[in-house]
Amino acid sequence: MKFRSVFDIIGPVMIGPSSSHTAGAARIGRVARTLFGRQPEWARIHLYGSFAETYKGHSTDVAIIGGLLDYDTFDERIKTSFDEAKRLGLSFEFIPEDEEPEHPNTARLVIGDGEGVMELTAISIGGGTMEVTELNGFPLRLSGHYPALLIVHEDRAGVIASVSNALAKQGVNIAHMECGRKEKGEMALMVIEVDQFINDALINELEVLEHVTQVSTLAN
């Protein structure tokens, strides 16, 4: 694993007891909430490997719910996130799974409300860092370290070039990019991590591109 700075090794300022099981879990919940775009009304959280075995003792459960409430890793309210979730009407359940995951600290979050449902799988990789490995059935690799664009589009020739040109026009440099599709000619997903802040003008330009159906952002 490559670390960009000493803070990737010692982790962020965070609520304990564990950087991987608590801080990483909080980041997973918060990234899920950000990608969903609003406070979910319910959540089903499937835990695998070490997460499934120790989630109560390491506060993985309160950390994930805290993240879904948009609490950062250092927020003292993580400790009482269950009470606040109930006050806000967020119902939740934790489901420990026996299936052996590829990574020992794996969580699959299914969250939703009256308007929609989102499914996200992520792993906590140590030092309070995490990585999204699947979103709504699309395999991907999203670290959350950089501002990111998630662009749902029809699988058509020229869409990737149009998006890249729009970023280049605004001087936005691509740090990492992945493209995937479910079937040829059907729905596809572009995940682009960038070095610069993503402004509204860029989002508006991307949203009107031909064959682009949805643009979501993830701030660093």
Side-chain angles (χ1 to χ4, degrees):
M1 183 188 302
K2 293 183 179 179
F3 296 97
R4 298 198 321 279
S5 75
V6 67
F7 296 105
D8 288 335
I9 300 172
I10 65 175
V13 177
M14 60 187 176
I15 299 296
S18 168
S19 64
S20 59
H21 287 66
T22 315
R27 290 196 68 186
I28 288 172
R30 197 173 189 215
V31 166
R33 184 235 168 83
T34 300
L35 292 176
F36 191 59
R38 55 194 180 276
Q39 178 69 62
E41 294 177 356
W42 56 266
R44 292 195 305 274
I45 299 134
H46 301 259
L47 301 173
Y48 300 83
S50 180
F51 267 3
E53 295 168 1
T54 65
Y55 71 97
K56 291 183 179 178
H58 283 164
S59 300
T60 304
D61 47 3
V62 294
I64 288 178
I65 296 303
L68 289 174
L69 296 174
D70 205 26
Y71 298 166
D72 210 335
T73 55
F74 52 79
D75 198 317
E76 291 285 343
R77 293 176 296 173
I78 284 176
K79 298 175 182 177
T80 57
S81 61
F82 279 11
D83 293 336
E84 183 64 10
K86 291 172 183 175
R87 188 185 73 80
L88 294 173
L90 168 59
S91 62
F92 55 87
E93 63 174 321
F94 288 88
I95 307 166
E97 302 285 5
D98 295 328
E99 179 185 340
E100 282 295 322
E102 291 187 13
H103 191 281
N105 301 329
T106 299
R108 179 165 61 89
L109 281 63
V110 185
I111 61 177
D113 60 13
E115 298 179 29
V117 177
M118 187 189 82
E119 183 174 330
L120 174 148
T121 301
I123 58 176
S124 176
I125 56 179
T129 59
M130 53 75 66
E131 188 173 281
V132 178
T133 59
E134 187 173 303
L135 179 65
N136 289 338
F138 285 101
L140 54 88
R141 184 166 64 88
L142 179 62
S143 70
H145 280 312
Y146 301 95
L149 289 159
L150 290 88
I151 302 170
V152 180
H153 61 96
E154 298 170 15
D155 180 32
R156 298 288 188 276
V159 179
I160 295 173
S162 297
V163 169
S164 298
N165 289 337
L167 268 63
K169 233 169 46 174
Q170 295 213 22
V172 176
N173 187 54
I174 296 174
H176 174 78
M177 181 175 184
E178 287 192 11
C179 304
R181 63 186 184 185
K182 292 187 175 180
E183 297 288 343
K184 181 179 179 180
E186 295 186 4
M187 185 183 296
L189 175 67
M190 247 181 281
V191 179
I192 306 172
E193 293 183 308
V194 300
D195 291 331
Q196 288 87 7
F197 174 75
I198 301 167
N199 59 40
D200 290 340
L202 175 58
I203 295 170
N204 293 338
E205 184 172 352
L206 294 172
E207 286 177 333
V208 299
L209 291 176
E210 188 175 11
H211 304 304
V212 169
T213 58
Q214 183 180 342
V215 179
S216 302
T217 60
L218 180 64
N220 185 13

